PDB file of all heavy atoms in Angstrom:
ATOM      1  N   GLU A  83       3.273  10.769   8.372  1.00 93.00           N
ATOM      2  CA  GLU A  83       1.952  10.629   8.980  1.00 93.00           C
ATOM      3  C   GLU A  83       0.998  11.664   8.388  1.00 93.00           C
ATOM      4  O   GLU A  83       1.431  12.680   7.846  1.00 93.00           O
ATOM      5  CB  GLU A  83       2.022  10.796  10.502  1.00 93.00           C
ATOM      6  CG  GLU A  83       2.373  12.185  10.939  1.00 93.00           C
ATOM      7  CD  GLU A  83       2.387  12.386  12.449  1.00 93.00           C
ATOM      8  OE1 GLU A  83       2.034  11.449  13.185  1.00 93.00           O
ATOM      9  OE2 GLU A  83       2.733  13.482  12.883  1.00 93.00           O
ATOM     10  N   ILE A  84      -0.286  11.391   8.513  1.00 94.00           N
ATOM     11  CA  ILE A  84      -1.299  12.317   8.010  1.00 94.00           C
ATOM     12  C   ILE A  84      -1.263  13.586   8.849  1.00 94.00           C
ATOM     13  O   ILE A  84      -1.224  13.532  10.068  1.00 94.00           O
ATOM     14  CB  ILE A  84      -2.701  11.690   8.130  1.00 94.00           C
ATOM     15  CG1 ILE A  84      -2.774  10.393   7.331  1.00 94.00           C
ATOM     16  CG2 ILE A  84      -3.779  12.655   7.690  1.00 94.00           C
ATOM     17  CD1 ILE A  84      -3.982   9.531   7.655  1.00 94.00           C
ATOM     18  N   GLY A  85      -1.279  14.717   8.175  1.00 94.00           N
ATOM     19  CA  GLY A  85      -1.407  16.005   8.869  1.00 94.00           C
ATOM     20  C   GLY A  85      -2.878  16.315   9.046  1.00 94.00           C
ATOM     21  O   GLY A  85      -3.401  16.316  10.145  1.00 94.00           O
ATOM     22  N   THR A  86      -3.566  16.568   7.926  1.00 94.00           N
ATOM     23  CA  THR A  86      -5.011  16.767   7.946  1.00 94.00           C
ATOM     24  C   THR A  86      -5.621  15.929   6.832  1.00 94.00           C
ATOM     25  O   THR A  86      -4.963  15.597   5.841  1.00 94.00           O
ATOM     26  CB  THR A  86      -5.379  18.239   7.703  1.00 94.00           C
ATOM     27  OG1 THR A  86      -4.900  18.638   6.416  1.00 94.00           O
ATOM     28  CG2 THR A  86      -4.813  19.135   8.784  1.00 94.00           C
ATOM     29  N   GLY A  87      -6.889  15.593   7.008  1.00 94.00           N
ATOM     30  CA  GLY A  87      -7.547  14.779   5.996  1.00 94.00           C
ATOM     31  C   GLY A  87      -9.023  14.615   6.293  1.00 94.00           C
ATOM     32  O   GLY A  87      -9.478  14.866   7.403  1.00 94.00           O
ATOM     33  N   ASP A  88      -9.757  14.213   5.272  1.00 95.00           N
ATOM     34  CA  ASP A  88     -11.191  13.938   5.429  1.00 95.00           C
ATOM     35  C   ASP A  88     -11.344  12.481   5.865  1.00 95.00           C
ATOM     36  O   ASP A  88     -10.930  11.558   5.153  1.00 95.00           O
ATOM     37  CB  ASP A  88     -11.912  14.168   4.104  1.00 95.00           C
ATOM     38  CG  ASP A  88     -11.749  15.589   3.597  1.00 95.00           C
ATOM     39  OD1 ASP A  88     -11.663  16.496   4.437  1.00 95.00           O
ATOM     40  OD2 ASP A  88     -11.708  15.784   2.364  1.00 95.00           O
ATOM     41  N   ASP A  89     -11.954  12.262   7.006  1.00 95.00           N
ATOM     42  CA  ASP A  89     -12.130  10.934   7.578  1.00 95.00           C
ATOM     43  C   ASP A  89     -13.179  10.184   6.778  1.00 95.00           C
ATOM     44  O   ASP A  89     -14.331  10.592   6.689  1.00 95.00           O
ATOM     45  CB  ASP A  89     -12.543  11.067   9.033  1.00 95.00           C
ATOM     46  CG  ASP A  89     -12.538   9.752   9.787  1.00 95.00           C
ATOM     47  OD1 ASP A  89     -12.562   8.673   9.147  1.00 95.00           O
ATOM     48  OD2 ASP A  89     -12.521   9.804  11.034  1.00 95.00           O
ATOM     49  N   LEU A  90     -12.767   9.047   6.179  1.00 94.00           N
ATOM     50  CA  LEU A  90     -13.679   8.211   5.401  1.00 94.00           C
ATOM     51  C   LEU A  90     -14.125   6.977   6.171  1.00 94.00           C
ATOM     52  O   LEU A  90     -14.724   6.067   5.597  1.00 94.00           O
ATOM     53  CB  LEU A  90     -13.008   7.794   4.084  1.00 94.00           C
ATOM     54  CG  LEU A  90     -12.551   8.944   3.178  1.00 94.00           C
ATOM     55  CD1 LEU A  90     -11.854   8.399   1.935  1.00 94.00           C
ATOM     56  CD2 LEU A  90     -13.702   9.846   2.788  1.00 94.00           C
ATOM     57  N   GLY A  91     -13.831   6.941   7.469  1.00 93.00           N
ATOM     58  CA  GLY A  91     -14.334   5.841   8.323  1.00 93.00           C
ATOM     59  C   GLY A  91     -13.315   4.743   8.560  1.00 93.00           C
ATOM     60  O   GLY A  91     -12.219   4.729   8.001  1.00 93.00           O
ATOM     61  N   LEU A  92     -13.726   3.804   9.400  1.00 93.00           N
ATOM     62  CA  LEU A  92     -12.889   2.652   9.722  1.00 93.00           C
ATOM     63  C   LEU A  92     -12.671   1.781   8.504  1.00 93.00           C
ATOM     64  O   LEU A  92     -13.556   1.683   7.627  1.00 93.00           O
ATOM     65  CB  LEU A  92     -13.543   1.802  10.801  1.00 93.00           C
ATOM     66  CG  LEU A  92     -13.480   2.323  12.239  1.00 93.00           C
ATOM     67  CD1 LEU A  92     -14.406   1.521  13.146  1.00 93.00           C
ATOM     68  CD2 LEU A  92     -12.058   2.274  12.764  1.00 93.00           C
ATOM     69  N   VAL A  93     -11.525   1.119   8.420  1.00 92.00           N
ATOM     70  CA  VAL A  93     -11.322   0.139   7.381  1.00 92.00           C
ATOM     71  C   VAL A  93     -12.240  -1.060   7.690  1.00 92.00           C
ATOM     72  O   VAL A  93     -12.610  -1.271   8.868  1.00 92.00           O
ATOM     73  CB  VAL A  93      -9.852  -0.321   7.264  1.00 92.00           C
ATOM     74  CG1 VAL A  93      -8.964   0.818   6.852  1.00 92.00           C
ATOM     75  CG2 VAL A  93      -9.355  -0.943   8.550  1.00 92.00           C
ATOM     76  N   ASP A  94     -12.638  -1.806   6.686  1.00 90.00           N
ATOM     77  CA  ASP A  94     -13.588  -2.900   6.887  1.00 90.00           C
ATOM     78  C   ASP A  94     -12.928  -4.111   7.545  1.00 90.00           C
ATOM     79  O   ASP A  94     -13.536  -4.802   8.337  1.00 90.00           O
ATOM     80  CB  ASP A  94     -14.211  -3.306   5.549  1.00 90.00           C
ATOM     81  CG  ASP A  94     -14.979  -2.166   4.904  1.00 90.00           C
ATOM     82  OD1 ASP A  94     -15.549  -1.338   5.661  1.00 90.00           O
ATOM     83  OD2 ASP A  94     -15.006  -2.073   3.674  1.00 90.00           O
ATOM     84  N   GLU A  95     -11.661  -4.365   7.169  1.00 87.00           N
ATOM     85  CA  GLU A  95     -10.952  -5.499   7.742  1.00 87.00           C
ATOM     86  C   GLU A  95      -9.532  -5.072   8.035  1.00 87.00           C
ATOM     87  O   GLU A  95      -8.949  -4.299   7.309  1.00 87.00           O
ATOM     88  CB  GLU A  95     -10.940  -6.688   6.782  1.00 87.00           C
ATOM     89  CG  GLU A  95     -12.291  -7.282   6.535  1.00 87.00           C
ATOM     90  CD  GLU A  95     -12.215  -8.449   5.575  1.00 87.00           C
ATOM     91  OE1 GLU A  95     -11.250  -9.242   5.652  1.00 87.00           O
ATOM     92  OE2 GLU A  95     -13.118  -8.594   4.762  1.00 87.00           O
ATOM     93  N   TYR A  96      -8.985  -5.614   9.112  1.00 85.00           N
ATOM     94  CA  TYR A  96      -7.636  -5.290   9.504  1.00 85.00           C
ATOM     95  C   TYR A  96      -6.997  -6.530  10.132  1.00 85.00           C
ATOM     96  O   TYR A  96      -7.648  -7.232  10.920  1.00 85.00           O
ATOM     97  CB  TYR A  96      -7.636  -4.142  10.524  1.00 85.00           C
ATOM     98  CG  TYR A  96      -6.376  -4.021  11.326  1.00 85.00           C
ATOM     99  CD1 TYR A  96      -5.231  -3.476  10.758  1.00 85.00           C
ATOM    100  CD2 TYR A  96      -6.320  -4.454  12.634  1.00 85.00           C
ATOM    101  CE1 TYR A  96      -4.049  -3.365  11.484  1.00 85.00           C
ATOM    102  CE2 TYR A  96      -5.145  -4.341  13.374  1.00 85.00           C
ATOM    103  CZ  TYR A  96      -4.014  -3.786  12.789  1.00 85.00           C
ATOM    104  OH  TYR A  96      -2.868  -3.700  13.497  1.00 85.00           O
ATOM    105  N   SER A  97      -5.763  -6.824   9.759  1.00 84.00           N
ATOM    106  CA  SER A  97      -5.030  -7.905  10.442  1.00 84.00           C
ATOM    107  C   SER A  97      -3.562  -7.495  10.531  1.00 84.00           C
ATOM    108  O   SER A  97      -3.060  -6.725   9.744  1.00 84.00           O
ATOM    109  CB  SER A  97      -5.206  -9.231   9.721  1.00 84.00           C
ATOM    110  OG  SER A  97      -4.556  -9.206   8.469  1.00 84.00           O
ATOM    111  N   PHE A  98      -2.916  -8.067  11.519  1.00 81.00           N
ATOM    112  CA  PHE A  98      -1.515  -7.766  11.794  1.00 81.00           C
ATOM    113  C   PHE A  98      -0.844  -9.076  12.171  1.00 81.00           C
ATOM    114  O   PHE A  98      -1.396  -9.877  12.928  1.00 81.00           O
ATOM    115  CB  PHE A  98      -1.451  -6.767  12.947  1.00 81.00           C
ATOM    116  CG  PHE A  98      -0.085  -6.640  13.542  1.00 81.00           C
ATOM    117  CD1 PHE A  98       0.870  -5.871  12.917  1.00 81.00           C
ATOM    118  CD2 PHE A  98       0.241  -7.259  14.737  1.00 81.00           C
ATOM    119  CE1 PHE A  98       2.141  -5.735  13.458  1.00 81.00           C
ATOM    120  CE2 PHE A  98       1.504  -7.131  15.288  1.00 81.00           C
ATOM    121  CZ  PHE A  98       2.451  -6.361  14.646  1.00 81.00           C
ATOM    122  N   LYS A  99       0.318  -9.305  11.607  1.00 80.00           N
ATOM    123  CA  LYS A  99       1.069 -10.520  11.956  1.00 80.00           C
ATOM    124  C   LYS A  99       2.540 -10.152  12.151  1.00 80.00           C
ATOM    125  O   LYS A  99       3.092  -9.386  11.368  1.00 80.00           O
ATOM    126  CB  LYS A  99       0.954 -11.549  10.836  1.00 80.00           C
ATOM    127  CG  LYS A  99       1.699 -12.831  11.157  1.00 80.00           C
ATOM    128  CD  LYS A  99       1.199 -13.986  10.350  1.00 80.00           C
ATOM    129  CE  LYS A  99       2.017 -15.233  10.541  1.00 80.00           C
ATOM    130  NZ  LYS A  99       1.815 -15.945  11.735  1.00 80.00           N
ATOM    131  N   TYR A 100       3.119 -10.709  13.170  1.00 76.00           N
ATOM    132  CA  TYR A 100       4.538 -10.553  13.447  1.00 76.00           C
ATOM    133  C   TYR A 100       5.221 -11.866  13.089  1.00 76.00           C
ATOM    134  O   TYR A 100       4.823 -12.917  13.576  1.00 76.00           O
ATOM    135  CB  TYR A 100       4.744 -10.202  14.915  1.00 76.00           C
ATOM    136  CG  TYR A 100       6.178 -10.212  15.358  1.00 76.00           C
ATOM    137  CD1 TYR A 100       7.122  -9.424  14.726  1.00 76.00           C
ATOM    138  CD2 TYR A 100       6.577 -11.002  16.423  1.00 76.00           C
ATOM    139  CE1 TYR A 100       8.435  -9.421  15.126  1.00 76.00           C
ATOM    140  CE2 TYR A 100       7.907 -10.991  16.854  1.00 76.00           C
ATOM    141  CZ  TYR A 100       8.820 -10.198  16.197  1.00 76.00           C
ATOM    142  OH  TYR A 100      10.120 -10.204  16.594  1.00 76.00           O
ATOM    143  N   TRP A 101       6.208 -11.805  12.211  1.00 71.00           N
ATOM    144  CA  TRP A 101       6.958 -12.998  11.819  1.00 71.00           C
ATOM    145  C   TRP A 101       8.401 -12.856  12.243  1.00 71.00           C
ATOM    146  O   TRP A 101       9.260 -12.376  11.480  1.00 71.00           O
ATOM    147  CB  TRP A 101       6.900 -13.193  10.301  1.00 71.00           C
ATOM    148  CG  TRP A 101       5.699 -13.920   9.825  1.00 71.00           C
ATOM    149  CD1 TRP A 101       5.083 -14.950  10.417  1.00 71.00           C
ATOM    150  CD2 TRP A 101       4.963 -13.628   8.632  1.00 71.00           C
ATOM    151  NE1 TRP A 101       4.004 -15.355   9.675  1.00 71.00           N
ATOM    152  CE2 TRP A 101       3.913 -14.558   8.574  1.00 71.00           C
ATOM    153  CE3 TRP A 101       5.106 -12.694   7.615  1.00 71.00           C
ATOM    154  CZ2 TRP A 101       2.998 -14.566   7.543  1.00 71.00           C
ATOM    155  CZ3 TRP A 101       4.189 -12.711   6.584  1.00 71.00           C
ATOM    156  CH2 TRP A 101       3.150 -13.647   6.544  1.00 71.00           C
ATOM    157  N   PRO A 102       8.767 -13.253  13.460  1.00 68.00           N
ATOM    158  CA  PRO A 102      10.140 -13.075  13.921  1.00 68.00           C
ATOM    159  C   PRO A 102      11.147 -13.910  13.122  1.00 68.00           C
ATOM    160  O   PRO A 102      12.297 -13.556  13.050  1.00 68.00           O
ATOM    161  CB  PRO A 102      10.078 -13.496  15.375  1.00 68.00           C
ATOM    162  CG  PRO A 102       8.876 -14.353  15.492  1.00 68.00           C
ATOM    163  CD  PRO A 102       7.899 -13.875  14.445  1.00 68.00           C
ATOM    164  N   GLU A 103      10.701 -15.008  12.525  1.00 67.00           N
ATOM    165  CA  GLU A 103      11.623 -15.899  11.812  1.00 67.00           C
ATOM    166  C   GLU A 103      11.768 -15.582  10.322  1.00 67.00           C
ATOM    167  O   GLU A 103      12.521 -16.229   9.609  1.00 67.00           O
ATOM    168  CB  GLU A 103      11.161 -17.362  11.979  1.00 67.00           C
ATOM    169  CG  GLU A 103       9.900 -17.713  11.203  1.00 67.00           C
ATOM    170  CD  GLU A 103       8.588 -17.244  11.826  1.00 67.00           C
ATOM    171  OE1 GLU A 103       8.582 -16.689  12.944  1.00 67.00           O
ATOM    172  OE2 GLU A 103       7.554 -17.431  11.181  1.00 67.00           O
ATOM    173  N   LEU A 104      11.069 -14.565   9.819  1.00 64.00           N
ATOM    174  CA  LEU A 104      11.027 -14.348   8.367  1.00 64.00           C
ATOM    175  C   LEU A 104      12.310 -13.797   7.790  1.00 64.00           C
ATOM    176  O   LEU A 104      12.714 -14.191   6.714  1.00 64.00           O
ATOM    177  CB  LEU A 104       9.855 -13.403   8.022  1.00 64.00           C
ATOM    178  CG  LEU A 104       9.534 -13.275   6.549  1.00 64.00           C
ATOM    179  CD1 LEU A 104       9.150 -14.623   5.966  1.00 64.00           C
ATOM    180  CD2 LEU A 104       8.413 -12.273   6.340  1.00 64.00           C
ATOM    181  N   GLU A 105      12.974 -12.919   8.454  1.00 63.00           N
ATOM    182  CA  GLU A 105      14.199 -12.344   7.892  1.00 63.00           C
ATOM    183  C   GLU A 105      15.257 -12.114   8.969  1.00 63.00           C
ATOM    184  O   GLU A 105      14.939 -11.989  10.121  1.00 63.00           O
ATOM    185  CB  GLU A 105      13.913 -11.033   7.167  1.00 63.00           C
ATOM    186  CG  GLU A 105      13.569  -9.908   8.098  1.00 63.00           C
ATOM    187  CD  GLU A 105      13.399  -8.585   7.374  1.00 63.00           C
ATOM    188  OE1 GLU A 105      14.050  -8.368   6.365  1.00 63.00           O
ATOM    189  OE2 GLU A 105      12.610  -7.780   7.850  1.00 63.00           O
TER     190      GLU A 105
END
Side-chain angles (χ1 to χ4, degrees):
E83 67 178 356
I84 300 166
T86 61
D88 301 328
D89 190 341
L90 302 178
L92 283 169
V93 296
D94 299 328
E95 293 180 39
Y96 161 76
S97 68
F98 167 79
K99 181 159 174 77
Y100 171 56
W101 276 322
E103 71 282 355
L104 191 60
E105 71 175 329

